């Protein structure tokens, strides 16, 4: 290496200060400080007024927060969220693959499904499934246009409110999930499929081993959103009294008229569950992020704990340069 | 146009050692109205290296992709080791095979792509193990051992646990070669294997290919590396606008070409 030594390397031309003693001063954002103080003051005021507001009746919130009735509802809400998401994801993946199929019939059917279930309000679909008995009194499985039946049952005994809620939420979710999965599959480079085919892998194996695992990276973040949405949308099934958290809360305030405190109880629980749900999402993202440039080798928990300190450290590093 | 010749039932595997590995007879291919291949006749001898050269858009990559049925032939016949690829001949008709049957025949044909196309969610070792385990049904332990051996052959045994994103282009392409070799193919197709590489990394990949040719692998190579074609190739094929302009000994075709079109191309790339 040749070392070039010119006067500029040691002394800055403008002032004659030695270069290594120069200090970098970041821009001072006075406006940002004023805005932060104002926002914090507003927040403290709001929280304070809520805490002191007698109409919230914190004593009632406390009484019901851990009531059996609330736990029963919570259990139904969780159960409904999980099964509806599983149904949505399984059916949605199938619909996505059908929509990408070269067969015009399969493609058409899948498009029709998405059109119907995405095009009508979820609330309407929930009530529809809840009152399906008004449309078909019996559910029968047999050969169409003949008297041969393999299975026959009363609609009302099959479609309990819980089952109706599950069907409504799951089918609606499938319509949205199929679009997410389709986008994920299409985001995978065509060369991946060609490489797999050139190795003698069949289309189904290629989809399972090569395309879907890579599509997952694109699919997981919106699916996390969908899960959180689903958890809250289960509240809608209270219209067919499926005994979820919201149904039970409504039952209580219909009797004691304490609407606001009961809604606070419900909100606290929904908030707690949503917070818990973001943890597995971070782990899944890490699992399917393998091999990407941004793959994090720290666990999401540590990342969560580390975020508070990191931006500061980066800033210091930049300032010190 | 060439109607497929009728060989009453002779398309079954012959494994005649003197028979050519690849035989193309009047191969046509079009994308909509655009005719990309206008009747390609070519034979590749067993154990030989055939280099396809020509300007971009000449159809050389398309022809290569037709050999393992990634692109479908519209007319003519293409056989690998005496077997039609992607079709079954019945009398005067070529019936397209099911995906499962096509996959079966592709196992014997390795392919290396310009953009590597390694599976990014698997390590180098897993990339090489994938097809033997999932397609050939090899046990994981045995596949792992063979994969390690293959990575060693391409000089990357110390990179087995790396993901493709952590490897340089040249290293990725060598893993891709190892991955194709893992299925023990009898024919290797290379689609511009060094075109996406930094100039300094080209050498390593060409070395691996040279070594493979020395071991007697039958190879069809689409390339712009005139030097490689001259040194390693047994045959050089110059293509332009969907037809073969000139075929022969690389030293002949690439040094003293007979056709004006070949001379013009060489003058530009050399």
């Amino acid at each position: 290496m040749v070392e070039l030594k010119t006067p500029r390397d040691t002394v800055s031309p403008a002032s004659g200060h030695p270069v290594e003693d120069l200090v970098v001063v970041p821009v001072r954002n006075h406006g940002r400080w004023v805005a932060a103080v104002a926002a914090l003051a507003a927040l403290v005021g709001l929280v304070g007024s809520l805490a002191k507001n007698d109409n919230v009746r914190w004593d009632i919130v406390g009484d019901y927060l851990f009531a059996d009735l609330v736990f029963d509802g919570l259990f139904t809400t969780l159960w409904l969220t999980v099964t509806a998401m599983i149904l949505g994801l399984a059916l949605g993946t199938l619909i996505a693959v059908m929509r990408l199929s070269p067969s015009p019939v399969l493609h058409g059917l899948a498009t029709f499904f998405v059109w119907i279930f995405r095009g009508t309000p979820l609330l309407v679909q929930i009530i529809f499934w809840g009152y399906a008995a008004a449309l078909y009194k019996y559910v029968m499985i047999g050969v169409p246009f003949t008297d041969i039946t393999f299975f026959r049952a009363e609609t009302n005994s099959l479609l309990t409110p819980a089952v109706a809620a599950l069907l409504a939420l799951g089918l609606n979710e499938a319509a949205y999930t199929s679009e997410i999965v389709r986008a994920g599959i299409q985001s995978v480079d065509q060369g991946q499929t060609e490489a797999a085919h050139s190795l003698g892998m069949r289309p189904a194996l290629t989809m399972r081993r090569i395309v879907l695992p890579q599509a997952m990276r694109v699919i997981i973040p919106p699916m996390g959103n969908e899960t959180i949405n689903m958890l809250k949308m289960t509240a809608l099934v209270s219209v067919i009294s499926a005994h979820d958290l919201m149904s039970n809360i409504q039952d209580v305030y219909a009797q004691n008229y304490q609407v606001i405190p009961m809604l606070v109880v419900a909100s606290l629980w929904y908030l707690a569950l949503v917070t818990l749900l973001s943890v597995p999402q971070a782990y899944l993202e890490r699992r399917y992020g393998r091999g990407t440039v941004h793959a994090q080798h720290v666990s999401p928990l540590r990342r969560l704990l580390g975020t508070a300190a990191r931006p500061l450290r980066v800033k210091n590093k930049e300032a010190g340069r | 146009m060439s109607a497929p010749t009728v060989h009453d039932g002779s398309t079954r595997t012959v494994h005649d050692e003197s028979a050519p590995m690849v035989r193309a007879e009047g191969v046509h291919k079009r994308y909509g109205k655009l005719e990309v291949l206008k009747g390609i006749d070519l034979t590749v001898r067993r154990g030989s290296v055939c280099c396809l050269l020509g300007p971009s858009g000449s159809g050389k990559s398309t022809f290569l992709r037709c050999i393992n049925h990634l692109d479908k032939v519209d007319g003519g016949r293409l056989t690998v080791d005496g077997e039609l690829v992607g079709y079954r001949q019945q009398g005067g008709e070529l019936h397209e095979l099911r995906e499962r049957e096509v996959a079966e025949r592709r196992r014997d044909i390795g392919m290396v792509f310009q953009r590597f196309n390694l599976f990014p969610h698997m390590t180098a070792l897993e990339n090489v193990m994938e097809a033997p385990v999932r397609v050939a049904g090899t046990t994981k332990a045995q596949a792992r051992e063979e994969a390690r051996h293959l990575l060693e052959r391409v000089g990357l045994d110390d990179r087995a646990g790396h993901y493709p994103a952590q490897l340089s282009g040249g290293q990725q392409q060598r893993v891709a070669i190892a991955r194709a070799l893992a299925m023990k193919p009898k024919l290797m197709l290379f689609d511009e294997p060094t075109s996406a590489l930094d100039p300094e990394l080209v050498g390593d990949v060409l070395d691996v290919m040279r070594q493979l040719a020395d071991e007697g692998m039958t190879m069809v190579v689409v390339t712009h590396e005139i030097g490689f074609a001259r040194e390693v190739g047994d045959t050089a094929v110059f293509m332009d606008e969907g037809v073969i302009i000139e075929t022969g000994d690389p030293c002949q075709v690439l040094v003293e070409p007979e056709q004006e079109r070949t001379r013009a191309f060489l003058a530009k790339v050399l």
Side-chain angles (χ1 to χ4, degrees):
Chain A
M1 277 284 284
V2 185
E3 231 171 86
L4 290 172
K5 218 160 168 99
T6 60
R8 231 181 36 180
D9 281 333
T10 44
V11 177
S12 122
S15 56
H17 274 293
V19 168
E20 52 269 28
D21 290 351
L22 285 177
V23 180
V24 176
V25 183
V27 176
R28 301 240 157 82
N29 292 304
H30 300 290
R32 198 183 289 169
W33 280 104
V34 173
V37 169
L40 278 178
L43 182 67
V44 168
L46 186 68
V47 171
S49 82
L50 262 179
K52 282 190 297 184
N53 190 333
D54 290 337
N55 294 333
V56 176
R57 299 289 306 271
W58 289 103
D59 54 324
I60 294 183
V61 172
D63 284 348
Y64 279 96
L65 195 55
F66 300 105
D68 283 349
L69 197 70
V70 169
F71 276 121
D72 285 349
L74 213 52
F75 178 76
T76 308
T77 290
L78 268 180
W79 168 86
L80 213 51
T81 305
V82 171
T83 45
M85 282 311 289
I86 290 173
L87 179 64
L89 190 60
L91 194 61
T93 307
L94 181 73
I95 302 273
V97 173
M98 278 169 70
R99 263 198 121 172
L100 293 171
S101 150
S103 153
V105 176
L106 291 183
H107 175 87
L109 281 175
T111 310
F112 180 75
F113 179 93
V114 174
W115 180 63
I116 291 288
F117 285 94
R118 210 174 51 169
T120 54
L122 177 59
L123 187 58
V124 172
Q125 290 175 35
I126 291 171
I127 299 174
F128 177 87
W129 286 107
Y131 291 89
L135 185 61
Y136 289 107
K137 201 160 183 321
Y138 296 99
V139 175
M140 279 187 266
I141 298 174
V143 182
F145 310 115
T146 63
D147 290 334
I148 308 165
T149 26
F150 307 119
F151 176 85
R152 178 191 154 101
E154 247 184 280
T155 307
N156 267 337
S157 64
L158 273 184
L159 277 183
T160 60
V163 174
L166 171 63
L167 272 178
L169 293 172
L171 292 177
N172 183 263
E173 185 54 39
Y176 284 94
T177 304
S178 75
E179 288 295 281
I180 294 172
V181 173
R182 186 170 67 108
I185 290 175
Q186 284 177 332
S187 76
V188 178
D189 181 35
Q190 183 61 28
Q192 292 291 310
T193 311
E194 289 183 356
H197 284 175
S198 79
L199 288 166
M201 295 174 80
R202 295 182 200 170
L205 185 65
T206 304
M207 182 57 79
R208 190 161 57 81
R209 291 288 304 171
I210 307 300
V211 177
L212 280 181
Q214 292 183 58
M216 287 305 265
R217 228 172 47 230
V218 177
I219 292 172
I220 288 171
M223 280 312 286
N225 254 346
E226 287 294 307
T227 311
I228 285 170
N229 245 336
M230 174 63 77
L231 182 78
K232 293 176 297 174
M233 282 196 303
T234 53
L236 287 178
V237 305
S238 58
V239 294
I240 54 170
S241 28
H243 299 294
D244 70 309
L245 177 60
M246 195 59 203
S247 306
N248 289 1
I249 294 277
Q250 277 179 342
D251 287 350
V252 175
Y253 69 60
Q255 282 175 18
N256 68 4
Y257 302 109
Q258 297 295 340
V259 179
I260 296 295
M262 291 316 291
L263 287 182
V264 170
V265 169
S267 301
L268 286 175
W269 276 114
Y270 282 118
L271 206 53
L273 290 180
V274 167
T275 310
L276 277 179
L277 276 179
S278 15
V279 176
Q281 182 182 348
Y283 275 94
L284 277 174
E285 279 181 26
R286 188 165 70 128
R287 168 80 168 72
Y288 287 101
R290 279 176 313 170
T292 52
V293 184
H294 299 292
Q296 291 109 7
H297 296 283
V298 275
S299 85
L301 188 66
R302 287 186 62 184
R303 195 154 49 102
L304 198 70
L305 297 174
T307 40
R310 208 161 88 227
L312 262 180
R313 242 183 287 133
V314 174
K315 254 188 214 155
N316 287 342
K317 217 172 163 190
E318 274 166 2
R321 247 196 295 177
Chain B
M1 285 297 299
S2 58
T5 23
V6 184
H7 285 257
D8 17 35
S10 65
T11 46
R12 294 261 40 93
T13 332
V14 247
H15 293 305
D16 176 1
E17 284 303 314
S18 62
M21 182 58 84
V22 181
R23 167 175 277 162
E25 300 160 273
V27 169
H28 282 258
K29 169 76 194 171
R30 56 184 85 70
Y31 290 118
K33 275 189 172 172
L34 182 72
E35 199 167 24
V36 200
L37 298 178
K38 302 169 183 164
I40 301 290
D41 293 290
L42 183 71
T43 50
V44 178
R45 263 184 302 112
R46 209 169 284 271
S48 75
V49 176
C50 173
C51 294
L52 297 175
L53 299 106
S56 52
S58 58
K60 50 194 192 318
S61 282
T62 305
F63 177 66
L64 192 78
R65 292 163 56 86
C66 283
I67 296 179
N68 72 349
H69 203 58
L70 281 182
D71 275 336
K72 292 172 187 173
V73 171
D74 292 321
R77 263 166 51 107
L78 223 171
T79 59
V80 172
D81 203 11
E83 273 193 355
L84 280 166
V85 182
Y87 299 94
R88 181 164 35 83
Q89 187 169 357
Q90 263 175 6
E93 289 176 331
L94 291 179
H95 294 267
E96 197 174 348
L97 293 178
R98 293 173 193 287
E99 301 270 18
R100 183 169 46 81
E101 297 164 309
V102 177
E104 187 83 17
R105 298 203 178 174
R106 282 193 186 121
R107 287 165 57 162
D108 295 336
I109 308 171
M111 183 149 184
V112 175
F113 300 84
Q114 182 179 357
R115 307 279 334 159
F116 329 132
N117 295 349
L118 286 180
F119 306 135
H121 56 305
M122 300 179 184
T123 61
L125 191 74
E126 287 165 346
N127 263 280
V128 182
M129 286 170 62
E130 181 68 11
V133 171
R134 303 283 161 180
V135 180
T138 316
T139 61
K140 273 200 175 163
Q142 198 193 337
R144 186 175 292 117
E145 196 182 316
E146 286 175 8
R148 281 197 186 284
H149 185 69
L150 280 166
L151 286 177
E152 198 179 316
R153 249 173 88 183
V154 298
L156 289 172
D157 37 334
D158 55 332
R159 294 283 188 277
H162 286 56
Y163 285 99
Q166 300 166 318
L167 299 172
S168 75
Q171 290 170 337
Q172 288 189 53
Q173 193 61 299
R174 283 184 282 155
V175 174
I177 294 174
R179 180 178 69 176
L181 289 175
M183 289 302 282
K184 304 187 178 74
K186 49 192 178 191
L187 170 67
M188 284 284 283
L189 308 175
F190 292 86
D191 187 5
E192 300 197 26
T194 56
S195 298
L197 297 180
D198 289 341
E200 52 176 355
L201 304 174
V202 169
D204 291 340
V205 173
L206 291 183
D207 283 344
V208 170
M209 291 169 62
R210 194 174 290 127
Q211 178 196 334
L212 204 56
D214 289 343
E215 288 164 15
M217 175 64 78
T218 314
M219 293 159 59
V220 182
V221 186
V222 171
T223 186
H224 292 298
E225 298 287 331
I226 307 285
F228 175 82
R230 248 195 303 221
E231 185 197 338
V232 183
D234 296 300
T235 326
V237 176
F238 180 74
M239 284 179 70
D240 193 19
E241 293 180 351
V243 290
I244 293 179
I245 304 284
E246 184 160 9
T247 312
D249 188 304
C251 295
Q252 176 72 41
V253 175
L254 302 175
V255 181
E256 299 262 294
E258 289 171 5
Q259 302 296 324
E260 185 49 43
R261 187 68 197 83
T262 317
R263 247 193 298 275
F265 173 74
L266 288 175
K268 269 185 206 152
V269 297
L270 283 178

